[in-house]
Structures are given as structure tokens and as C-alpha cells.
């Protein structure tokens, strides 16, 4: 089973071969930190987290870098609006971003470098481009000379002539050509600035990723990712900058996620239909949002609606219930070491099915089908009167293994422990036997308050979490 990924650069699915066996160097463009992140931003955050987690389950050692754009025009404008400094604004929204993605169960990046911590590296990168004639200074600004990079447009599959049609004609006599893009911007009076060989100013947007990728990961990396809107111009410009300086490919695989729409409409400020992650998770469990994100292939558009969230919630509940029931039965099951090989074979087949789907360009919706196959097998097994603890543990281990990639199960760390619940249920049964109805009711209320539901079954009282 080999992993195959769709490479935007070649427009084909290709076998994934890392530069160094067993290691993956991965860079995902991060946010400009002038606002709270919305549900659309959640798509790359969750998808690339799943890519990284899956690679780790396949025993790759992954270095995962995602940056913060903590200075640019939007940052400067917003800081002015709020009457704070740019670094203050950045600090607020970097913390907010880190909190939000933690809530979504996203694992910490290996490193989150910031533009303002890499100004010297950025200046050095621009100086190297100027030195090689790929960039020129014009009244304190520095621009990239796109006509000099023959492959400009290769990622977004356009050539310079085609690009000319789409471009907004700007009256800017500093640029040699409208396609040229800014690497260094001269500071206007009152703006935040750094000293450079071209005077006081700040970096343009694209150059930061070229500088950070080279500094933290090296000249060529394995995977470079982001939302599909970053293909052009951002990633195209990153390629032009890096490859002009290093002479090597910037990344071997370019991955881009499609967009999240709301009620079949594009999310936009003018439509006023943006939803912040921090508001959403007040309404629904973060795991439901994660599950919803993974219910479509990352290269397909995904529609956010009450209906699609409801579906995600119901589907996830089936998985969570199976998981909780397995744990419940395990607490009282007796261990026997004999397991029928049909069961182990079936579990192995389901595990292979999951990997096959993930290996096919991270096909999460089909991989989730394998999770449901496991749930169906587990539910069937749980119907038996006598269950084997070893088998229950096998089911649980497999579900947990899938969850290492998907991150959709609730572990309820700060809620009642399973043993505590079992103990309360026993006490309640005894209270009822001795006709101590008050205590029995009290226990039932306590369990309901904690989101524990009791159910009478032929095997006795079974419980599940909300
Ligand atoms: P931005 O908010 O434009 O700084 O984008 C940050 C990241 O979120 C980039 O990778 C974008 O491509 C991605 N992104 C923004 N909006 C959406 C959306 N509606 N659906 C999916 N990805 C998005
Ligand atoms: Zn970038």
C-alpha cells in the first residue's frame, strides 16, 4: 500500500516519496492575525492536521511548520482602527488562533514562526534575489521581476501572457510590469518599519514563506499546503522566489483544499455570513465540526448548513456510542485469551480498508466508511450476552487507532469516570431494592446532569454519554 497524493503542480495523483526516508517536512501557510478565524479557515487547519496525524500513524517523523503573518497592510489598518500597536494586535489574535485550533483538536505545530522574528532572513532572501537580477528596487520598494522567471505560472497552470488579461491595471510607475509583485514595501510615515538596504520598510506577503521554509525546513520540502485560493498568486510567487534563489524545487507535493461554503453561498464579508470558530463551538461539539469537515474529500467543495451539521452529529453519535458501549462492557467482561481468528481477520481487513482510502489522496469520507464497518461489527458483537474482554479491547484499540488520524472521539477527561458511573448505577439498583427511592432518584438526576443516559436492556442497565 503506497500513499498517493494529488499534486497541484503536476495535476496528477502521484506516489508519495519523501526526500528522506521516514521523514516528512511539511509547511502550511498560516493566518494573518488580525481577526478571529472563521469556519472556512478551519478547513485547511483540520485537513492538514489529519494529513500530519495520518503520516505519523504510518511511522513518519513529521516536521510541521505553519506561520503567522504578524505584519502587513491589513494588520496595520486594523491596529489603527483599534488604536493598538501592530505587535499588540498580533499577540491577541495569535493567542486566539492557538486557543481555537486547540479546541478543534488540532495538534500543536512543530513551530509557528512569525514574520517579525524573521526580518533578517527575509532581507537576506530579497538581497539574494536583487543580486541575481530577479528583483529590483524602485523608490524604496523592491519588486520581483516575473519576466525573468521563465516558469512563472507553472503551479496555477497559466503563462505570463494569460496572466496579463486577468490583472487589475494599477497605476504604479514603480513596477516594470503589472505582474511584478512586491517583496519589500517602503514605510509610509507613522507605519511600523525595519531598516533594510532599501530604506525603512516591511516585507511584502509572499516573501515570508520562502524565507521561513528555507530557514526551518531547507531548500526543498516534501509537502506545501494551503487553501486553493493560495495557489495563485501566493504559492506561485513563493515558487518564483525560492526557485530563483536555490535552483531547486521548493516543494515536491503541493496540496490545496477546496472551499467551505455556507448554505451553498460563498462566505464573504459583504454577505455577512461568516461564522467564527469560537462562536460555533458554543453551539456544537468541536468533534462534530471536525467530523463534518472530514465527511467530504478535501478537494471537493463542502457546504455548511444546519442540515449537514445535523447529519454529522448523528453519524458521529453512532461512533461515539459504540466506543462508549465497548468501554462499558469491558468494565464488567471477563478476560479470556482465545479470540476467534474470523474476528481478528475481519478487524485487519477493516484497518486495511481505512489505510487504502487514506492512501488514496487522503480520502477521508471513504475512510470514515471503514470506521462505520468497525462500528457495525462492534455493535453486532455487543449484542452477545457473554463478551470477551480481549475482543472488546481489540475493537477499542482499532477505534482508537482510527481516531489518532481523525480526532473525532470525546474522551471526557473532566467528566465522571466510567468506574464512578458503574458504581453509581450499582448503588442506585441497591437503593431501589431497599426502597430508598429518594437516593435512587438523586443518583438518576446526578447522572442526567452529567449527560449520562440510562437504558434498561436484557443484560441490565446500560449507559451512554450524551
Ligand atoms: P485567510 O483568512 O484568507 O487568511 O485564509 C487563511 C487560510 O484559510 C488559507 O489557507 C485560505 O485558503 C483558507 N480559507 C479561507 N477561507 C476559506 C474557506 N471558505 N474554505 C476553505 N478554506 C478557506
Ligand atoms: Zn505562504
Amino acid at each position: 500500500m503506497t500513499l498517493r497524493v494529488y499534486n497541484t503542480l503536476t495535476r496528477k495523483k502521484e506516489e508519495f516519496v519523501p526526500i528522506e526516508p521516514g521523514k516528512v517536512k511539511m509547511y502550511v501557510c498560516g493566518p494573518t492575525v488580525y481577526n478571529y478565524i472563521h469556519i472556512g479557515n478551519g478547513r485547511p487547519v483540520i485537513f492538514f492536521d489529519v494529513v500530519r496525524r495520518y503520516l505519523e500513524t504510518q511511522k513518519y517523523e513529521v516536521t510541521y511548520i505553519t506561520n503567522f503573518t504578524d505584519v502587513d497592510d491589513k494588520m496595520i489598518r486594523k491596529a489603527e482602527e483599534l488604536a493598538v500597536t501592530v505587535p499588540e494586535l498580533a499577540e491577541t489574535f495569535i493567542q486566539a488562533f492557538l486557543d481555537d485550533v486547540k479546541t478543534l483538536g488540532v495538534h500543536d505545530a512543530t513551530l509557528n514562526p512569525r514574520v517579525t522574528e524573521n526580518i533578517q532572513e527575509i532581507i537576506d532572501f530579497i538581497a539574494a534575489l536583487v543580486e541575481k537580477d530577479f528583483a529590483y528596487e524602485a523608490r524604496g520598494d523592491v519588486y520581483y521581476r516575473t519576466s525573468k522567471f521563465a516558469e512563472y505560472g507553472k503551479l496555477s497552470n497559466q503563462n505570463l501572457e494569460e496572466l496579463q488579461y486577468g490583472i487589475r491595471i494599477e497605476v504604479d510607475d514603480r513596477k516594470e510590469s503589472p505582474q511584478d509583485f512586491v517583496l519589500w514595501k517602503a514605510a509610509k510615515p507613522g507605519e511600523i518599519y525595519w531598516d533594510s538596504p532599501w530604506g525603512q520598510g516591511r516585507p511584502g506577503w509572499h516573501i515570508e514563506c520562502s524565507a521561513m521554509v528555507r530557514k526551518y525546513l531547507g531548500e526543498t520540502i516534501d509537502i506545501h499546503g494551503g487553501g486553493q485560493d493560495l495557489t495563485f498568486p501566493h504559492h506561485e510567487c513563493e515558487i518564483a522566489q525560492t526557485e530563483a534563489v536555490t535552483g531547486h524545487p521548493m516543494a515536491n507535493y503541493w496540496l490545496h483544499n477546496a472551499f467551505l461554503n455556507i448554505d451553498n453561498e460563498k462566505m464573504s464579508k459583504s454577505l455577512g455570513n461568516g461564522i467564527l470558530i469560537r462562536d460555533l463551538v458554543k453551539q456544537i461539539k468541536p468533534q462534530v465540526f471536525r467530523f463534518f469537515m472530514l465527511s467530504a474529500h478535501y478537494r471537493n467543495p463542502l457546504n455548511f448548513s444546519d442540515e449537514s451539521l445535523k447529519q454529522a452529529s448523528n453519524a458521529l453519535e453512532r461512533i461515539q456510542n459504540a466506543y462508549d458501549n465497548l468501554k462499558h462492557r469491558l468494565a464488567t467482561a471477563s478476560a479470556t485469551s482465545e479470540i476467534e481468528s474470523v474476528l481478528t481477520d475481519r478487524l485487519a481487513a477493516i484497518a486495511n480498508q481505512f489505510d487504502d482510502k487514506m492512501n488514496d489522496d487522503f480520502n477521508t469520507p471513504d475512510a470514515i466508511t471503514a470506521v462505520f464497518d468497525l462500528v457495525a461489527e462492534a455493535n453486532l458483537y455487543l449484542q452477545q450476552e457473554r463478551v470477551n474482554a480481549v475482543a472488546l479491547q481489540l475493537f477499542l484499540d482499532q477505534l482508537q487507532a482510527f481516531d489518532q488520524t481523525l480526532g473525532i472521539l470525546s474522551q471526557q477527561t473532566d467528566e465522571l469516570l466510567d468506574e464512578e458511573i458503574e458504581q453509581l448505577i450499582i448503588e442506585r439498583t441497591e437503593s431501589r431494592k431497599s426502597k430508598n427511592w429518594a437516593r435512587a432518584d438523586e443518583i438518576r438526576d446526578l447522572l442526567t446532569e452529567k449527560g449520562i443516559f440510562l437504558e434498561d436492556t436484557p443484560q441490565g442497565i446500560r449507559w451512554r454519554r450524551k
Side-chain angles (χ1 to χ4, degrees):
M1 273 189 304
T2 50
L3 171 62
R4 293 170 66 78
V5 299
Y6 181 87
N7 188 351
T8 308
L9 184 65
T10 57
R11 291 169 284 285
K12 285 199 298 262
K13 272 190 210 171
E14 295 173 2
E15 184 180 338
F16 178 75
V17 184
I19 299 162
E20 211 182 313
K23 296 196 173 163
V24 177
K25 293 180 196 183
M26 190 171 167
Y27 184 95
V28 178
C29 296
T32 304
V33 283
Y34 71 108
N35 221 334
Y36 295 113
I37 54 167
H38 57 64
I39 53 174
N41 302 134
R43 195 162 192 197
V45 162
I46 293 172
F47 169 65
F48 287 105
D49 176 58
V50 165
V51 168
R52 179 253 189 107
R53 283 164 172 253
Y54 180 65
L55 291 169
E56 285 173 348
T57 67
Q58 302 303 295
K59 308 286 174 253
Y60 285 108
E61 189 188 305
V62 181
T63 310
Y64 185 98
I65 309 267
T66 179
N67 65 308
F68 288 129
T69 303
D70 62 348
V71 61
D72 81 339
D73 291 352
K74 284 183 284 201
M75 295 286 299
I76 291 172
R77 253 183 279 134
K78 186 72 182 279
E80 255 171 33
E81 231 175 270
L82 299 178
V84 294
T85 63
V86 169
E88 283 166 352
L89 178 75
E91 210 44 53
T92 304
F93 288 109
I94 285 174
Q95 281 319 315
F97 174 89
L98 293 172
D99 289 347
D100 287 349
V101 303
K102 198 172 223 56
T103 308
L104 294 179
V106 170
H107 287 172
D108 289 345
T110 313
L111 205 70
N112 292 107
R114 308 177 186 194
V115 175
T116 57
E117 296 164 348
N118 286 280
I119 299 290
Q120 192 54 51
E121 286 77 3
I122 291 171
I123 291 174
D124 292 346
F125 212 107
I126 300 172
L129 285 166
V130 173
E131 169 83 14
K132 291 186 157 211
D133 214 29
F134 279 97
Y136 55 93
E137 196 224 322
R139 282 185 271 138
D141 285 355
V142 182
Y143 294 95
Y144 188 95
R145 183 175 280 124
T146 45
S147 60
K148 172 115 179 151
F149 188 68
E151 295 178 310
Y152 191 72
K154 68 177 174 180
L155 182 69
S156 50
N157 199 20
Q158 356 178 34
N159 59 36
L160 269 182
E161 266 166 43
E162 287 166 345
L163 283 171
Q164 215 141 11
Y165 291 112
I167 216 143
R168 183 158 49 97
I169 303 297
E170 301 162 53
V171 190
D172 190 343
D173 58 4
R174 279 184 271 197
K175 284 192 194 180
E176 288 176 4
S177 152
Q179 290 88 352
D180 293 356
F181 56 90
V182 72
L183 299 167
W184 185 262
K185 272 190 156 184
K188 296 198 189 81
E191 283 181 353
I192 187 168
Y193 68 83
W194 287 263
D195 288 319
S196 81
W198 317 285
Q200 295 176 341
R202 64 178 181 279
W205 174 31
H206 314 304
I207 192 69
E208 67 188 65
C209 294
S210 286
M212 293 189 209
V213 165
R214 182 171 71 165
K215 174 174 171 186
Y216 296 106
L217 294 169
E219 292 197 344
T220 302
I221 63 172
D222 296 295
I223 295 176
H224 195 124
Q228 69 183 10
D229 58 322
L230 298 188
T231 311
F232 185 85
H234 186 53
H235 289 163
E236 199 71 73
C237 296
E238 287 187 25
I239 290 178
Q241 295 160 161
T242 296
E243 301 188 6
V245 166
T246 69
H248 302 299
M250 182 178 194
N252 286 337
Y253 306 93
W254 289 84
L255 271 61
H256 294 99
N257 64 270
F259 260 46
L260 177 78
N261 299 319
I262 296 190
D263 294 327
N264 291 312
E265 287 199 75
K266 221 180 145 206
M267 219 187 318
S268 80
K269 284 219 174 76
S270 55
L271 288 169
N273 60 356
I275 300 173
L276 301 179
I277 299 274
R278 51 187 47 215
D279 292 334
L280 180 76
V281 297
K282 289 180 195 144
Q283 317 282 337
I284 62 162
K285 279 175 35 174
Q287 290 88 351
V288 169
F289 183 59
R290 244 185 115 95
F291 183 93
F292 158 74
M293 278 291 186
L294 302 175
S295 64
H297 189 268
Y298 76 96
R299 283 190 290 114
N300 289 335
L302 176 59
N303 189 44
F304 180 96
S305 65
D306 286 345
E307 185 52 36
S308 52
L309 277 189
K310 184 87 197 110
Q311 276 172 13
S313 172
N314 290 342
L316 179 58
E317 199 175 310
R318 279 172 54 207
I319 303 174
Q320 184 74 44
N321 282 347
Y323 180 72
D324 294 344
N325 287 339
L326 286 166
K327 279 175 99 179
H328 163 76
R329 290 296 287 280
L330 186 61
T332 52
S334 53
T336 60
S337 53
E338 276 168 50
I339 292 290
E340 286 181 37
S341 65
V342 251
L343 180 63
T344 45
D345 289 352
R346 178 74 184 121
L347 290 185
I350 292 173
N352 278 337
Q353 186 193 339
F354 182 91
D355 284 354
D356 274 347
K357 298 306 177 185
M358 289 302 288
N359 283 338
D360 182 14
D361 192 29
F362 308 107
N363 189 338
T364 52
D366 283 1
I368 287 172
T369 304
V371 180
F372 279 112
D373 286 353
L374 179 68
V375 165
E377 290 290 339
N379 288 343
L380 209 63
Y381 187 77
L382 286 167
Q383 279 172 16
Q384 300 180 28
E385 213 165 301
R386 280 179 57 79
V387 287
N388 178 342
V390 181
L392 292 174
Q393 192 62 54
L394 281 181
F395 278 116
L396 276 171
D397 288 349
Q398 192 52 62
L399 255 183
Q400 272 161 348
F402 289 157
D403 202 51
Q404 270 177 18
T405 296
L406 303 173
I408 53 176
L409 288 174
S410 305
Q411 301 296 339
Q412 292 113 2
T413 42
D414 53 358
E415 293 171 33
L416 281 181
L417 292 175
D418 292 1
E419 295 88 311
E420 292 169 329
I421 297 170
E422 318 279 2
Q423 202 46 53
L424 283 167
I425 292 172
I426 292 169
E427 200 196 329
R428 178 170 167 271
T429 311
E430 280 165 4
S431 301
R432 286 170 63 155
K433 269 191 205 144
S434 58
K435 299 200 169 21
N436 181 354
W437 307 114
R439 178 63 186 152
D441 287 348
E442 191 181 49
I443 293 171
R444 170 144 229 150
D445 290 347
L446 171 70
L447 291 170
T448 311
E449 190 186 299
K450 295 276 182 189
I452 312 299
F453 290 91
L454 304 185
E455 209 185 313
D456 274 310
T457 74
Q459 291 88 32
I461 290 185
R462 185 180 287 183
W463 59 271
R464 66 183 170 84
R465 294 178 197 268
K466 190 172 153 192

